[in-house]
Amino acid sequence: MAKLLIEGGNRLRGEVTVQGSKNSTLPILAATVVAEDESVIHNCPHLSDVDTAVKILRFLGCSATRCGTSLVVDTKSITCDHIPDSLMREMRSSIIFLGAILARCKKARLTFPGGCELGARPIDLHLDAFRRMGVTIREHHGDIICFADKGLRGANIALAFPSVGATENIIIAAVKAKGTTVITNAAREPEIEDLCTYLNACGADIRGAGEGTIVIEGVDSLHGTSHTVIPDRIVAATLMSAAAVTGSDIVLKGVVASHLGAVIPLFEEAGCDIQLSSGAMSISAPQRLKAFPMIRTTPYPGFPTDAQAPLMAVSTLAQGTTVFVENIFENRYKHAGELTRLGAKVKTEGRVAVVEGVRELYSSSLQAYDLRGSASLAVAALAAQGVTVIDTTKYLERGYEDFDGTMRSLGADVKMI
Ligand code: EPZ
């Protein structure tokens, strides 16, 4: 596995186009299974998680061919309805295929995605919803065996928590169900809207995407379409963090500012100047930032949990103290211990982290534990004196396309070895 070597101290400059959204690409690739012919999905980032989704599609008997940043998927000849444990374990969010396989095959067999670096990752909201839609589910030694001989039926589903994955899974399962499905307390993330844009272009009838209540009228069949995935708002927030922590001026192209409504004001309050113009953002950071105000992660449109780790890296060098409250996942501060190895002052207690800004960070050898935590370590290393080594890039490659190449194009001294 490759390591990442970062020599800190360089100011960044130039411009970079933000990649397509991982968390939009993955549910849309799953949803192609319900559209019974060819779809072309553009702006798909080159990521290991996307590669895993392609492997799952091929395992199911679909064809999936990459042409640059486009994926041509044909699900006409789907041959099987189960996903092997090896693939389920490769990517927790492979559970997102369950609704699609059920909608297409009326039965499915997967294994529990299991816990991951962020915590338990339960799927009770997914399974409870499918039971209400007429699916019989047997859980046996880690296997999930589902069948709905009479097909899925529409249902009223009130989510106890606005789960992104559960909302997506229910939408995908409901597009061909008999009758109407109403999801209340639905997740409102932009990736949900992007999924519904794709499915409606395939002939689905979904209203209310991006709001708390989504109504899906079941239709008889769906056809393929071509769709361009929205930009990745978390990668954009990570690049903003890289600019802020190095006192740099950079331009991000392909940014949807409205997807960063809870992020942009924080950087402005910390002293950055941010200018937005038709799909581009320029961010200009001061030599030293003021500490962010308290950051609480909440479902969209609040502050995204995935941006907590990158912004924590920025806060380690800011003037003042920043308090984080991580309300979404129970174990999402693993990067804090590694940041202290660089000289940061971070204390965590349950869901709360307190970061007291210091003047300097010093290089060290660090361990990566999860995707956004890895990004946090890389961002902090950009501003640390000396060469920092991050022990593995396997997590980073799940969500950041060509991270080292992108950072080098902005003038950072980053090598993958
Ligand atoms: C999606 O994960 C994203 N992944 C995550 O991004 C993101 O952090 C998360 O949404 C929250 O925004 C993808 O889209 C592929 P959830 P998901 O269901 O769907 C609990 C990244 O770094 N919950 O909204 O798994 C769960 O334990 C990744 O790109 C249940 O209790 O998130 C968690 O505490 C990390 N029961 C909370 O809800 C369930 O059935 C949020 O989970 C489902 C979830």
Side-chain angles (χ1 to χ4, degrees), residues 193-333:
E193 284 188 82
D194 207 27
L195 169 66
C196 294
T197 302
Y198 165 74
L199 283 168
N200 280 339
C202 293
D205 179 353
I206 308 167
R207 278 165 288 129
E211 292 153 33
T213 299
I214 299 177
V215 180
I216 305 114
E217 296 294 345
V219 296
D220 292 338
S221 71
L222 280 85
H223 52 76
T225 189
S226 69
H227 177 84
T228 300
V229 167
I230 57 172
D232 193 308
R233 59 195 170 97
I234 305 303
V235 169
T238 307
L239 291 167
M240 291 170 74
S241 300
V245 81
T246 53
S248 307
D249 300 5
I250 65 170
V251 174
L252 302 182
K253 293 173 74 177
V255 170
V256 178
S258 62
H259 294 170
L260 290 157
V263 174
I264 291 171
L266 292 172
F267 282 95
E268 290 175 326
E269 285 185 50
C272 293
D273 176 55
I274 291 176
Q275 300 298 323
L276 300 164
S277 66
S278 60
M281 171 202 286
S282 73
I283 176 167
S284 171
Q287 194 43 41
R288 190 176 191 205
L289 295 161
K290 295 194 294 292
F292 294 121
M294 179 183 274
I295 294 183
R296 292 180 181 83
T297 66
T298 67
Y300 194 88
F303 182 84
T305 173
D306 294 347
Q308 174 256 108
L311 267 78
M312 184 181 285
V314 177
S315 68
T316 62
L317 280 167
Q319 189 170 9
T321 299
T322 306
V323 176
F324 292 83
V325 184
E326 174 52 67
N327 295 307
I328 305 294
F329 287 105
E330 66 265 21
N331 188 13
R332 201 166 198 176
Y333 284 138

Side-chain angles (χ1 to χ4, degrees), residues 22-24 26-27 49 91-93 95-96 116-127 161-168 187 189 191 232-234 298-300 304-306 327-330 332 351 370-372 398-399:
K22 164 177 85 79
N23 292 349
S24 185
L26 295 177
D49 272 6
M91 182 177 70
R92 310 296 159 200
S93 50
I95 193 69
I96 198 66
C116 72
E117 48 278 340
L118 302 182
R121 301 306 283 274
I123 55 169
D124 54 308
L125 299 177
H126 301 242
L127 302 186
F161 178 85
S163 153
V164 172
T167 301
E168 291 165 344
E189 273 70 0
E191 293 76 26
D232 193 308
R233 59 195 170 97
I234 305 303
T298 67
Y300 194 88
T305 173
D306 294 347
N327 295 307
I328 305 294
F329 287 105
E330 66 265 21
R332 201 166 198 176
R351 289 185 179 273
D370 60 60
L371 165 55
R372 306 304 175 182
R398 289 188 42 212

Side-chain angles (χ1 to χ4, degrees), residues 83 85 109-112 137-145:
I83 299 177
D85 192 39
R109 186 159 51 85
L110 303 87
T111 55
F112 265 91
I137 300 175
R138 270 207 218 104
E139 299 163 42
H140 181 68
H141 296 318
D143 282 339
I144 309 170
I145 300 150

